[in-house]
């Protein structure tokens, strides 16, 4: 891989920034200043240093995104904008894919990784990973409906697993589910004669949106997730 690409993918800076570091003699390759942007670097073998710091190429990468409305969860699509387009240049997109799925109009937390094993665990219903959604509703919700959502509702031939509901106000709830069927939250609310007008995922496993802004992306560690 080219040195400049390597540095961008390791998060050292944008393409123009890393080119500047190279021009300014700030990048060492195998102990020697390297002025060649296109120098071939072996991700595992070559010692690359910037400001005395060893730059490490990660085999497995994890990023969280604050998804916004209007993007479908897919790696590519002929017609629609995909969540991949929300990832900035510094994100190493090689083999990266979104874990699970948020609808085009759903906002909030979406994880990306190239770690297929972890992704599989996270979406497996057996793993019981918490997903908490903020749901704004068309109609007011009563205790009876909350009780039904918590016990399980029929979403078209499938009875949902027990869930937890926290009522924020008459038309807003936090819904905690451990599974992720297609359009699950929207179907659950439909099953209790209501309708979702806004949906945002705020928690996924141990991950939260913290103080992230819409469209923001942060690199995270595997240990942050489960
Ligand atoms: N449930 C839905 O209905 N939509 C989502 O995007 C996520 C969960």
């Amino acid at each position: 891989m080219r040195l400049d690409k390597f540095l961008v993918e390791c998060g050292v800076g944008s393409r123009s920034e890393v080119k500047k570091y190279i021009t300014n003699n700030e990048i060492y390759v195998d102990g020697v200043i390297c002025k060649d942007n296109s120098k071939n670097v072996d991700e595992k073998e070559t010692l690359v240093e910037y400001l005395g710091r060893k730059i490490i190429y990660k085999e497995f990468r994890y990023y969280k995104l604050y998804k916004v409305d209007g993007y479908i969860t897919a790696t590519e699509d002929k017609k629609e904008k995909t969540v991949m387009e929300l990832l900035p240049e510094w994100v190493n997109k090689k083999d990266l894919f979104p874990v699970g799925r948020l609808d085009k109009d759903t906002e909030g937390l979406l994880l990306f990784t190239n770690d297929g094993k972890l992704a599989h665990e996270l979406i497996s219903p057996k793993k019981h990973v918490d997903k908490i959604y903020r749901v704004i509703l068309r109609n007011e919700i009563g205790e009876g409906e909350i009780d039904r959502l918590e016990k399980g509702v029929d979403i078209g031939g499938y009875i949902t697993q027990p869930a937890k509901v926290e009522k924020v106000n008459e038309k807003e709830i936090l819904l905690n589910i451990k599974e992720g069927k297609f359009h699950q939250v929207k179907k659950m609310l439909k099953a209790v004669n209501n309708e979702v007008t806004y949906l945002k995922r705020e928690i996924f496993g141990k991950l939260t949106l913290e103080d992230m802004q819409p469209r923001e992306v942060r690199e995270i560690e595997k240990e942050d997730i489960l």
Side-chain angles (χ1 to χ4, degrees):
M1 177 188 299
R2 286 173 59 110
L3 175 62
D4 49 6
K5 187 164 190 277
F6 172 87
L7 291 167
V8 171
E9 292 194 355
C10 290
V12 174
S14 66
R15 200 170 308 182
S16 59
E17 281 168 342
V18 305
K19 283 191 174 145
K20 206 161 64 199
Y21 302 153
I22 294 169
T23 312
N24 291 349
N25 298 336
E26 289 175 315
I27 304 294
Y28 285 72
V29 173
D30 287 331
V32 184
I33 289 172
C34 182
K35 294 179 92 56
D36 178 6
N37 290 322
S38 65
K39 184 167 175 69
N40 192 36
V41 166
D42 180 309
E43 295 97 83
K44 292 210 178 83
E45 300 296 326
T46 312
L47 171 65
V48 180
E49 290 163 295
Y50 170 56
L51 300 177
R53 183 165 61 90
K54 189 175 169 193
I55 306 302
I56 303 195
Y57 190 88
K58 292 179 187 159
E59 184 183 4
F60 293 120
R61 288 161 269 121
Y62 310 89
Y63 305 92
K64 62 177 176 178
L65 162 74
Y66 187 149
K67 180 191 177 295
V68 291
D69 181 12
Y71 293 81
I72 65 160
T73 307
T75 48
E76 50 185 28
D77 194 85
K78 289 211 170 67
K79 285 202 290 268
E80 304 273 8
K81 290 184 289 181
T82 75
V83 288
M84 301 309 285
E85 294 168 48
L86 290 166
L87 300 176
E89 186 198 31
W90 58 265
V91 170
N92 178 353
K93 298 176 194 69
K94 188 166 184 295
D95 299 330
L96 207 67
F97 57 88
V99 180
R101 183 177 182 284
L102 291 181
D103 296 338
K104 184 176 171 186
D105 59 354
T106 300
E107 300 199 325
L109 199 52
L110 187 62
L111 171 71
F112 291 81
T113 186
N114 61 335
D115 181 344
K117 188 162 171 278
L118 181 82
H120 184 74
E121 273 181 47
L122 286 167
I123 52 182
S124 155
K126 287 193 210 106
K127 199 72 187 166
H128 300 304
V129 176
D130 282 316
K131 286 164 277 271
I132 303 187
Y133 293 88
R134 184 171 297 275
V135 192
I136 300 187
L137 302 162
R138 171 90 52 216
N139 309 311
E140 294 187 358
I141 189 160
E143 289 310 316
E145 285 85 50
I146 289 179
D147 194 48
R148 286 173 59 205
L149 289 173
E150 290 195 323
K151 287 190 173 129
V153 286
D154 187 340
I155 55 167
Y158 174 78
I159 309 292
T160 56
Q161 299 290 310
K164 282 193 212 117
V165 177
E166 187 187 319
K167 189 166 171 180
V168 179
N169 61 48
E170 296 306 322
K171 289 191 176 180
E172 185 172 338
I173 57 169
L174 289 171
L175 176 64
N176 183 345
I177 54 176
K178 293 182 192 293
E179 43 185 357
K181 302 275 176 219
F182 188 59
H183 294 326
Q184 176 155 348
V185 176
K186 289 175 184 164
K187 286 180 181 167
M188 286 175 78
L189 272 302
K190 193 159 177 248
V192 293
N193 304 317
N194 212 318
E195 191 191 330
V196 174
T197 60
Y198 174 79
L199 188 57
K200 174 173 155 192
R201 183 157 68 193
E202 297 193 336
I203 305 252
F204 183 59
K206 287 198 302 188
L207 291 179
T208 70
L209 283 173
E210 302 173 74
D211 55 349
M212 286 172 80
Q213 298 301 307
R215 294 175 178 268
E216 190 177 333
V217 176
R218 290 190 188 166
E219 182 164 16
I220 50 174
E221 302 297 326
K222 185 177 180 182
E223 298 68 43
D224 299 333
I225 304 168
L226 272 180

